Amino acid sequence: MEIDLTLNENDVTFEAARSDTLLDVLRDNGYTGAKRGCDTGDCGFCTVIVDGEPVKSCIRPIRRVEGGDIETIENLGTQDDLSPVQAAFVDNAALQCGFCIPGMIMRSKVLLEENPDPDEAEIRDALSGNLCRCTGYEKIIDAVQDASTRLDGEGDVAADGGSPLTGGASQGRGCHEGGFDE
């Protein structure tokens, strides 16, 4: 079957099987930013934005996004010109292996569009469906807070990789210690 949608601001048509998920179709067509993790919607590695909402693409049937507006991490920035959210993740050392980061960034983007100045509890709640296996969640929270200030024009880019909010990288806790839901 053919699926028509808007992907990263471009009208596209993809061939897909009725059983395909949005993640299957994205990855089969070269959009590899969304990662395959659990295939059950539990990890959030595959999060993309569909019609303005964060969606776990591994469990979204492709037929349910027909005609939709999809945005993936590939639309946010480039290596030479990162989006404010991407730059905040880099500057706050909120990534290590990078596997969960596209989903974290996409979910953070939606959060900051809905709530430009979230507090820590709101960030934790918004990101609670996204797991990280190696960075620790504190640096991710710092990155989202930093991105919030960058998006409203108040933040500075940390030249040393530390958090501009605190003057240095925070001590992170690993996901094995409770994650965002602590």
Side-chain angles (χ1 to χ4, degrees):
M1 66 188 238
E2 287 189 345
I3 297 292
D4 295 315
L5 47 90
T6 301
L7 177 61
N8 297 334
E9 303 173 16
N10 297 302
D11 293 332
V12 296
T13 300
F14 293 129
E15 277 296 320
R18 289 191 57 75
S19 61
D20 282 347
T21 65
L22 175 55
L23 181 62
D24 294 330
V25 172
L26 289 172
R27 293 188 63 80
D28 287 349
N29 287 282
Y31 296 88
T32 58
K35 304 302 182 206
R36 184 176 305 281
C38 64
D39 272 335
T40 60
D42 291 325
C43 70
F45 295 177
C46 65
T47 302
V48 298
I49 300 171
V50 177
D51 296 327
E53 296 296 323
V55 168
K56 294 176 181 175
S57 62
C58 74
I59 58 172
R60 180 61 55 105
I62 190 63
R63 65 187 176 279
R64 288 197 46 215
V65 298
E66 172 78 30
D69 185 7
I70 289 73
E71 183 175 19
T72 68
I73 191 87
E74 287 90 351
N75 197 48
L76 294 191
T78 65
Q79 188 70 31
D80 295 327
D81 185 24
L82 298 174
S83 76
V85 178
Q86 290 170 311
F89 270 71
V90 170
D91 289 343
N92 285 276
L95 45 95
Q96 286 181 12
C97 80
F99 207 74
C100 70
I101 296 306
M104 290 280 188
I105 288 174
M106 297 308 287
R107 183 61 187 97
S108 297
K109 179 182 186 291
V110 172
L111 167 64
L112 294 171
E113 288 171 352
E114 294 172 350
N115 180 357
D117 189 25
D119 62 27
E120 182 177 334
E122 292 167 324
I123 295 168
R124 286 181 181 277
D125 182 58
L127 297 179
S128 65
N130 291 69
L131 300 177
C132 176
R133 303 261 184 239
C134 57
T135 63
Y137 293 96
E138 294 303 314
K139 292 179 182 184
I140 293 169
I141 291 165
D142 290 345
V144 176
Q145 290 171 329
D146 181 11
S148 172
T149 63
R150 291 175 190 221
L151 289 168
D152 71 14
E154 293 179 17
D156 294 326
V157 175
D160 66 353
S163 172
L165 296 176
T166 62
S170 67
Q171 297 297 316
R173 290 189 301 250
C175 64
H176 62 278
E177 296 180 36
F180 287 113
D181 293 331
E182 283 191 331

